[in-house]
Amino acid sequence: MSRVSVIVPFYNCPYINQALDSLLSQTHKNIEIIVVNDGATQYSEKIIPYLDKIKYIEKENGGTATALNMGIQHITGDYFCWLSSDDIYYPEKIEIQLAFMKEQKSLFSHTNYYAINNKSRIITSPLGIHPPNRLEIIKRISKKNFINGCSVMINSSVFNQVGVFDENLPYTHDYDLWIRIIQKFDVYYLPQPLLLYRIHEQMGTRKYAATIKKEINFVVNRHKTTMDRLLSECFNE
């Protein structure tokens, strides 16, 4: 049975227990839960009841990318997943996505998802997006990120070929990595919603919207030459 490592970056998040409960109730049992405490000053006590069931790493505050990379250094699984400490997996998320990846011979996949509010109630229809072919995927990812980071599953071998998260990108480290992966691998989409993505006032995408916009432009420009070349190759196929 394949082992799946799930990294949970944690920083001052009151919902961490809900995230961990969702991992401990997974129907796929061969999972490794790695919580990386990124210098939190609040809510760390909520992790204490789970310490005998998880790997727990504490570090100085450095941002989500540094926490994810610290976790990646410690994974023993064949596959990597990421769960933000304010989000929730459906119980069958790992089992269904893993079976899908094996069936498709995929190294990189993402799933559909719903948004929830601070009371964990679903507040949207499914939000997942997946363009219909490689050409459209490259077109869209060249302009903006359409992949929810907590919906992904990645074969651990991919990191050896494309590297890990760029720690100089506080908010778009995931977008930058997806572009690097898509340059070398196909991305597969599972249309079943398997993630609950929490929208709340304290989330980074709301608090730092202006900074994030600048960072997106930086990532787009960083990869523009390579992505333009890939686009032209797709057009010519």
Side-chain angles (χ1 to χ4, degrees):
M1 187 191 289
S2 294
R3 187 171 177 80
V4 179
S5 299
V6 187
I7 298 174
V8 186
F10 169 74
Y11 180 75
N12 295 355
C13 180
Y15 305 106
I16 179 67
N17 54 308
Q18 293 183 40
L20 293 177
D21 285 342
S22 80
L23 291 177
L24 291 170
S25 63
Q26 287 298 300
T27 53
H28 182 83
K29 294 305 178 190
N30 192 10
I31 70 168
E32 171 180 57
I33 303 165
I34 303 176
V35 176
V36 182
N37 184 333
D38 188 35
T41 55
Q42 292 178 280
Y43 305 115
S44 296
E45 71 282 354
K46 291 194 169 204
I47 301 171
I48 294 169
Y50 302 92
L51 288 177
D52 61 336
K53 301 176 189 76
I54 64 174
K55 274 189 189 176
Y56 183 57
I57 299 165
E58 291 184 325
K59 63 183 277 301
E60 287 183 12
N61 181 248
T64 305
T66 67
L68 287 166
N69 286 347
M70 176 73 78
I72 288 168
Q73 288 175 27
H74 290 83
I75 64 174
T76 62
D78 309 290
Y79 293 85
F80 157 92
C81 290
W82 155 19
L83 180 61
S84 291
S85 49
D86 48 5
D87 295 345
I88 295 170
Y89 278 175
Y90 277 77
E92 64 277 16
K93 195 262 191 191
I94 289 174
E95 181 182 1
I96 289 174
Q97 193 170 10
L98 182 60
F100 170 76
M101 288 188 72
K102 290 186 170 181
E103 184 186 328
Q104 301 293 331
K105 296 186 170 51
S106 162
L107 297 178
F108 177 46
S109 74
H110 66 115
T111 77
N112 210 342
Y113 63 99
Y114 292 106
I116 56 173
N117 62 13
N118 57 0
K119 295 189 169 71
S120 304
R121 293 198 187 118
I122 292 173
I123 54 173
T124 62
S125 54
L127 296 173
I129 294 168
H130 191 71
N133 54 53
R134 182 155 175 83
L135 174 62
E136 295 301 321
I137 287 170
I138 291 168
K139 270 189 193 172
R140 187 180 277 259
I141 202 79
S142 296
K143 293 176 186 164
K144 63 189 293 190
N145 186 12
F146 63 86
I147 298 171
N148 185 308
C150 294
S151 79
V152 304
M153 184 178 282
I154 303 173
N155 188 291
S156 301
S157 66
V158 167
F159 296 121
N160 298 328
Q161 299 196 49
V162 303
V164 291
F165 294 94
D166 184 341
E167 297 181 4
N168 296 311
L169 299 171
Y171 309 110
T172 57
H173 47 272
D174 54 344
Y175 181 30
D176 175 74
L177 181 59
W178 310 157
I179 291 179
R180 281 186 275 138
I181 293 174
I182 285 171
Q183 287 168 8
K184 291 184 180 241
F185 303 99
D186 288 327
V187 52
Y188 289 79
Y189 177 63
L190 186 55
Q192 181 176 349
L194 292 170
L195 167 73
L196 297 172
Y197 168 70
R198 194 183 305 272
I199 294 174
H200 56 94
E201 289 307 314
Q202 294 306 307
M203 64 194 301
T205 46
R206 292 205 166 175
K207 288 164 77 174
Y208 308 110
T211 309
I212 291 169
K213 195 172 177 184
K214 285 183 192 165
E215 220 176 88
I216 289 169
N217 290 335
F218 172 80
V219 172
V220 166
N221 289 326
R222 167 188 270 184
H223 295 287
K224 189 172 190 322
T225 305
T226 307
M227 298 308 279
D228 284 350
R229 193 191 75 242
L230 279 180
L231 267 179
S232 67
E233 285 171 4
C234 284
F235 273 120
N236 293 327
E237 280 177 359

